[in-house]
Amino acid sequence: MRGRSAGAAGFSLVEVVIAMFILGIIAIALLPGLVNGIRYSSEQSTVATATRQLNAIVEEARQAHSCAGIAAARATQTFTDGAGRDFTTEGPSSPCTPCPGVSGATISLNLTATQNSRTLATVSALIYVPGAKAAGTC
């Protein structure tokens, strides 16, 4: 405390300005990581929404127990995520033929969710359909 009076204890203006400058440099260095984290979080939210939607479609097809239910699941559908961005779900067609008198078949259901030609999620499931054949005619 040499050179200062008892009432002048504390930080000088120069020390405060230097501390603020150093904190500003650190904040600027952390900013890109913060922006990338927010972007990544938003993308993962979209992927989670797409995955939930694909699983819901598979469950609806399982509850339908029919070739029509599987065909409806494979049809192209559009959904919106929490940020208001649209994504589509669809699956390739594979044969499921209703055949009365047949015990049933296990049908493969493969669905994909895409957004702007980017694959968000894929789901594969086997669904038992009573009274159906997986391929061919009855």
Side-chain angles (χ1 to χ4, degrees):
M1 292 270 271
R2 212 176 227 178
R4 293 186 182 172
S5 66
F11 295 109
S12 70
L13 183 61
V14 173
E15 292 170 327
V16 171
V17 168
I18 290 172
M20 289 176 57
F21 178 74
I22 292 171
L23 287 174
I25 296 290
I26 292 171
I28 289 172
L30 294 177
L31 192 61
L34 195 64
V35 169
N36 286 337
I38 291 170
R39 183 179 305 127
Y40 184 73
S41 175
S42 175
E43 289 173 4
Q44 290 305 307
S45 174
T46 301
V47 169
T49 301
T51 303
R52 268 193 317 273
Q53 196 60 51
L54 288 175
N55 287 332
I57 292 170
V58 167
E59 287 306 313
E60 287 175 11
R62 282 191 173 136
Q63 295 299 319
H65 293 294
S66 68
C67 290
I70 291 178
R74 288 184 177 130
T76 300
Q77 300 176 48
T78 301
F79 299 97
T80 304
D81 68 359
R85 295 178 298 233
D86 291 339
F87 64 91
T88 58
T89 63
E90 63 184 340
S93 62
S94 62
C96 177
T97 308
C99 295
V102 174
S103 64
T106 303
I107 308 297
S108 176
L109 179 61
N110 300 308
L111 300 174
T112 303
T114 57
Q115 182 180 56
N116 299 329
S117 70
R118 188 185 106 197
T119 301
L120 298 174
T122 58
V123 171
S124 297
L126 296 174
I127 300 174
Y128 179 75
V129 179
K133 288 184 82 176
T137 59
C138 296

